[in-house]
Amino acid sequence: QTCALPILASVALTCRHDVQTLTRAVNAQLPPDIRVRTVEDVPSDFHARFSARAKTYRYQLRDGGLASPFDGAFVWHLPETLDIPAMQAAAGVLVGTHDFGAFQSVGTPVSTSVRTITRSEVTRVPSASALCPASVRSDRFNTYTIFT
């Protein structure tokens, strides 16, 4: 499963509050499981999605044994033991500039499907009972390339 943490958002506001006061005020109105960590002044042409220089997708995998009921929304449980060295080798092949057109959805309206992946890694956390974080960082992603 994919969990987008942190999420960056942009809004245009006209107010006289400083960013610390605005942060507290927004958090006071949000449910307890959603938090605004920082508020920053940015140029008026900034857009959280279109101004991004890179995007990182992080995945939490757990292999073997029984799935934890506490992991459900955040960890992809796989009952078989993962071959971490093979996954690390495969992740390394993704680093570089490649054409990912074969992996995008049909009819995706993009001028090019060439993307540069700057980091792709899989690890095993020895102290976390079979937790295997994986991440991919790229200048852009094609629609549905990483999610499927």
Side-chain angles (χ1 to χ4, degrees), residues 59-73:
Y59 301 86
Q60 298 292 326
L61 312 172
R62 192 180 304 275
D63 63 347
L66 294 173
S68 168
F70 302 107
D71 286 347

Side-chain angles (χ1 to χ4, degrees), residues 83-97:
D83 184 342
I84 300 300
M87 293 173 71
Q88 289 170 330
V93 172
L94 294 174
V95 175
T97 301

Side-chain angles (χ1 to χ4, degrees), residues 1 61-62 66-77 129 131:
Q1 295 183 358
L61 312 172
R62 192 180 304 275
L66 294 173
S68 168
F70 302 107
D71 286 347
F74 304 105
V75 178
W76 182 14
H77 179 260
S129 180
L131 187 64

